Amino acid sequence: QVQLVESGGGLVQPGGSLRLSCTASGSIFTINRMAWYRRAPGMQRDLVAAIRSRGNTNYADSVKGRFTISRDGAKNTMYLQMNSLKPEDTGVYYCNAAGLRITTLRIFDSWGQGTQVTVSS
């Protein structure tokens, strides 16, 4: 089992900042990719940003230049620094991680429970 726990969500005014964290634990041999997804009210869950084990990143067009994804491999933790937040950034943010399990080397693809981000004045 691989568990993901997110933290850092909350209510913030437009133009403000938040930092989300996601920590993975359990039977992990290696994590190849970590990502943040967002489910806006009434919408499907969409990719916000992703980071791979070598540090390659990609972002949704709507967050480029405002959000920064980073990762601490030693801690199996990923961060999302969100600046210049807009009301349309509101939603539930989910952490996703994919890699190989320890011992069996079988693939895992796990999701966190989600953390609410609300951008409103």
Side-chain angles (χ1 to χ4, degrees):
Q1 291 276 6
V2 176
Q3 298 82 34
L4 302 180
V5 177
E6 303 109 330
S7 63
L11 173 64
V12 63
Q13 292 187 343
S17 297
L18 281 175
R19 188 193 195 206
L20 304 183
S21 299
C22 170
T23 299
S25 63
S27 306
I28 299 169
F29 175 69
T30 185
I31 299 177
N32 297 325
R33 176 183 182 270
M34 298 187 81
W36 290 100
Y37 287 77
R38 175 175 66 209
R39 187 193 300 275
M43 305 291 285
Q44 65 181 19
R45 187 160 55 185
D46 291 324
L47 178 69
V48 175
I51 186 166
R52 285 161 177 80
S53 57
R54 295 187 178 183
N56 311 65
T57 60
N58 63 286
Y59 296 91
D61 288 342
S62 62
V63 306
K64 284 180 180 177
R66 300 187 298 121
F67 290 12
T68 302
I69 190 170
S70 61
R71 178 177 167 181
D72 183 336
K75 297 180 180 179
N76 286 337
T77 298
M78 170 180 64
Y79 306 96
L80 185 67
Q81 179 65 44
M82 305 186 293
N83 298 328
S84 302
L85 282 160
K86 304 176 181 179
E88 51 264 43
D89 294 319
T90 294
V92 180
Y93 284 70
Y94 296 90
C95 172
N96 171 255
L100 298 177
R101 299 179 191 275
I102 201 166
T103 305
T104 64
L105 297 183
R106 296 182 68 176
I107 294 171
F108 71 85
D109 188 343
S110 298
W111 292 88
Q113 299 279 358
T115 185
Q116 176 71 43
V117 171
T118 302
V119 185
S120 175
S121 55

